[in-house]
Amino acid sequence: MPDDARARRRRTGAGLGVLLALVCAAVLLTALPDHDREGGGPCTARTLLSWSADARLTGEFARYGDDASRVDDWTGGDGTHSVRLPDGRVLWLFSDTYLGQVHGPPNPVGESYAWRDTSAPLVRNSAVVMSKDGRLETTLSTPVFPDPGPGRWRWPVAARVEPRSPGSAEQVVRVLLWTRTAGQAPWIYGVPTSTEVATLSLPDLRLEGVTTVLDQSSVTDPSRRVLFGTSTVDAGAWTYVFGGDDGQAASRPASQAYVARVPRGRLGQPAAWEYWDGGGWAVRARPGPVLGDGRRTGVGSAFTVVRDGGTYVLFTMAAGTAGLTTITSYWACAPTGPWHGPTRSFSPSLPQGQVAAYNPQAHAALSDGDRLVLSYDVNWLDTTGGVSAQANLSRNVALYRPRFVTLRLGAPGS
């Protein structure tokens, strides 16, 4: 073989070797996000296989809410979150909550509904304690988390039990809070302001303090402000904290989802928080969305994330008008995505009337094996923020309470 032919063959062989190496590297880099990035473990597509109403849990909140033996306890609320305490009790956290007396039917207009007077107290947050055997027992003194100032309030979201400090044997409850400020339309439910973390002592659940984690008041466009804490997931050495913006208030069909991470056990330390900015993690970064194009894909105002094996599954109200009745899901191999979906959706039962479902939330404290317990809230559909919603929620107290379903997840087609 001539020397120049040998040289060409050597160059071609070397080029093929480099090409193969680059292809292998690309395959490896492509596989890493789907299998080993952010938490490790094998990851496969997951979807909803089946669902059924959980009449027992739904009925327990109806029983407790209708109990007329006290006038300062929970009779209805939304923003449903829960956390299992070390002694086996479950702490339930709520946002806007009705207290007061519940009266048996008929209501003042002759309908066969239990009702409350329209002057019944409405507080911005509450907490109810459930015994180890699943019976709701008591409402903590309300509001649990006092308003930070005039025209501002706190809504509790996800909570978890952590060491008081890294390595400490003493435990406390960390509760993530959304601070909102009163505003005009379209911000009838308040302008998003900041994410905070509250500390409750154990076992007496006494508020010890509140720490600001991420202040968003300097972000000019309220629809771009991000509040974290709608859901938390542990994976490896990290706790991933999911959040969202208020894009729907700016007339987008769906809001966008974001994620932060904190070393496990350090939610109460703002300096330990890192935010995904779209390309990496940084301590003081502007959060970048991990899900949502503002149209067909995205999340509702609140959503939930669970980890099924090595796969992350996100449940949210569907985009657009379907989001008034329909819960859908996405899956990913990492909290930062890419998120696949929306996948199979379902429409849980709703009471009669001009109502909507919202805020689907998973409850790890009550889930086991392949059985996932999910709640959703119900409210009167009133976009004006006027007295119509309050009047309708008072004439039928059963409307404004969480409802529960049990889900089973699996591989598509199984």
Side-chain angles (χ1 to χ4, degrees):
M1 180 181 295
D3 290 343
D4 59 341
R6 290 192 183 94
R8 283 196 301 273
R9 184 172 181 178
R10 284 196 299 269
R11 287 195 297 271
T12 301
L16 285 173
V18 172
L19 179 62
L20 284 172
L22 289 172
V23 169
C24 289
V27 169
L28 181 59
L29 289 172
T30 301
L32 280 175
D34 288 339
H35 297 283
D36 294 308
R37 185 176 67 179
E38 304 298 345
C43 172
T44 58
R46 309 301 281 174
T47 191
L48 173 68
L49 297 183
S50 64
W51 69 275
S52 60
D54 192 324
R56 187 193 66 80
L57 263 175
T58 301
E60 177 58 18
F61 278 89
R63 179 202 67 80
Y64 185 76
D66 288 346
D67 185 349
S69 60
R70 291 175 54 184
V71 297
D72 62 346
D73 64 349
W74 183 96
T75 62
D78 70 353
T80 312
H81 289 79
S82 67
V83 60
R84 177 79 66 179
L85 304 179
D87 59 11
R89 295 176 298 163
V90 176
L91 178 67
W92 292 89
L93 296 160
F94 295 92
S95 297
D96 290 351
T97 301
Y98 283 103
L99 306 177
Q101 186 84 32
V102 169
H103 308 283
N107 65 13
V109 295
E111 298 169 320
S112 57
Y113 300 138
W115 59 283
R116 71 172 72 83
D117 193 270
T118 54
S119 63
L122 175 70
V123 294
R124 287 300 191 179
N125 58 74
S126 69
V128 180
V129 179
M130 175 180 276
S131 68
K132 290 187 290 185
D133 61 4
R135 185 175 176 84
L136 295 168
E137 293 185 323
T138 187
T139 300
L140 301 186
S141 179
T142 57
V144 181
F145 311 101
D147 294 345
R152 300 176 67 189
W153 62 87
R154 290 172 168 134
W155 283 342
V157 279
R160 57 197 313 109
V161 175
E162 289 189 343
R164 178 174 289 281
S165 58
S168 171
E170 184 182 3
Q171 293 180 304
V172 294
V173 181
R174 308 285 190 202
V175 181
L176 287 144
L177 305 172
W178 288 350
T179 300
R180 302 181 83 89
T181 302
Q184 302 298 317
W187 309 102
I188 60 174
Y189 300 112
V191 180
T193 305
S194 65
T195 301
E196 300 176 320
V197 175
T199 298
L200 300 178
S201 61
L202 284 170
D204 56 344
L205 300 171
R206 177 177 52 84
L207 177 63
E208 295 187 346
V210 177
T211 300
T212 298
V213 169
L214 183 65
D215 188 343
Q216 292 282 274
S217 58
S218 63
V219 178
T220 305
D221 182 355
S223 71
R224 301 296 178 182
R225 297 180 181 182
V226 182
L227 301 185
F228 285 93
T230 185
S231 191
T232 61
V233 177
D234 283 338
W238 300 96
T239 295
Y240 293 95
V241 186
F242 292 87
D245 60 31
D246 265 22
Q248 287 177 308
S251 300
R252 297 202 301 267
S255 297
Q256 294 178 304
Y258 303 77
V259 66
R261 69 178 187 179
V262 190
R264 291 178 70 166
R266 298 177 64 184
L267 278 177
Q269 301 176 16
W273 284 59
E274 297 179 358
Y275 303 91
W276 181 258
D277 64 6
W281 297 100
V283 174
R284 281 180 288 274
R286 170 65 188 165
V290 297
L291 170 63
D293 61 8
R295 298 180 299 277
R296 191 185 71 87
T297 64
V299 295
S301 57
F303 58 93
T304 193
V305 181
V306 298
R307 194 160 182 250
D308 187 24
T311 307
Y312 296 82
V313 184
L314 182 153
F315 291 95
T316 182
M317 302 311 297
T321 56
L324 300 176
T325 60
T326 303
I327 298 173
T328 193
S329 60
Y330 297 79
W331 68 273
C333 293
T336 55
W339 288 91
H340 308 278
T343 61
R344 183 184 174 190
S345 304
F346 71 103
S347 297
S349 62
L350 288 172
Q352 291 183 342
Q354 189 178 318
V355 299
Y358 59 108
N359 187 39
Q361 286 296 322
H363 299 279
L366 304 172
S367 305
D368 55 72
D370 63 353
R371 175 178 172 272
L372 175 65
V373 174
L374 190 85
S375 68
Y376 59 99
D377 297 327
V378 175
N379 207 330
W380 192 262
L381 191 57
D382 181 1
T383 59
T384 67
V387 298
S388 172
Q390 181 180 0
N392 282 288
L393 297 180
S394 294
R395 73 180 180 87
N396 179 3
V397 297
L399 293 177
Y400 192 58
R401 289 172 179 168
R403 284 145 171 88
F404 295 83
V405 293
T406 299
L407 311 181
R408 189 168 67 88
L409 305 179
S414 61

